Amino acid sequence: MAERTVLVTGGTGGLGGAVTAAFLEAGWRVVVPGREGLGTAPAAGAEALVRRQLQPGASDAAGRPEAVAADLLDPDGAARAVAVATAEPSAPLRAVVNLIGGYASGGLVHETPIEEFDRMLRINLRPTYLVTQAALPHLVAAGGGAVVCVSARAAVAPFPGAAGYVTAKAAVQAFANAVAVEYRQRGVRCNTVLPSVIDTPANRAAQPDADHGRWVPPAEIAAVIRFLASDESAPTSGASIPVYGRA
């Protein structure tokens, strides 16, 4: 039986499957929220995605992700996801991994509608804020834990044509740093990883002519995230970890 729980938002995405698999292999109970309608069939789909990410020989020992239907853009949905993650007293919630986000490029700032700018902030920052906000009291009550947020290299090395995305990912990083400061004395750590381009099927389809060998594999990022959630990284909080691969 698992002795601790991690809540992984975006746990069925290209990076999310690898992160979920990494925690399952380490013996965690893993709760994966999804939008309304996530029931038996979608949960099975999430499990299939995770199984593909598991290392050979590890799948028999690893558990299964636990799916919960929740819209994480809504405060009630975030609270519902956290309620499921804290429902097993024998496996208290000890980590939250915020993976949900999105990317859109366009023109320069004067060419970008405010609606698109707002959308980037909403989908990248709002779920991270709401889930973390709902989870923090439980992490404190459990004696401490870890929050890991996913920003992007663009937050520290912007490129033209994506002001909304760049701003949103910088905001995620700033929020994580604020959590690290506010909850340091309460035993909760918060760190951020900054990927470059993640080697996912969606990114390969979007950039078929790129040098994919320079991109960072999801499993390598997942290992860093699992480390930041573990007791092995106990002295580390407020860090921004580059996970660039060779990109």
Side-chain angles (χ1 to χ4, degrees), residues 103 196-212 215:
Y103 170 78
S196 56
V197 183
I198 305 173
D199 189 5
T200 65
N203 284 338
R204 287 193 175 219
Q207 302 180 57
D209 298 325
D211 182 358
H212 303 145
W215 294 357

Side-chain angles (χ1 to χ4, degrees), residues 10-94:
T12 60
L15 175 59
V19 171
T20 299
F23 279 98
L24 289 172
E25 288 177 335
W28 291 65
R29 172 179 174 252
V30 182
V31 174
V32 178
R35 283 189 177 263
E36 186 176 357
L38 180 58
T40 303
E47 182 182 342
L49 176 64
V50 169
R51 292 296 178 190
R52 289 196 296 272
Q53 297 284 352
L54 289 170
Q55 296 299 316
S59 58
D60 291 340
R64 298 180 178 183
E66 183 174 338
V68 53
D71 180 357
L72 301 183
L73 290 169
D74 178 75
D76 290 339
R80 185 180 308 114
V82 170
V84 172
T86 57
E88 293 290 343
S90 61
L93 180 65
R94 298 304 300 271

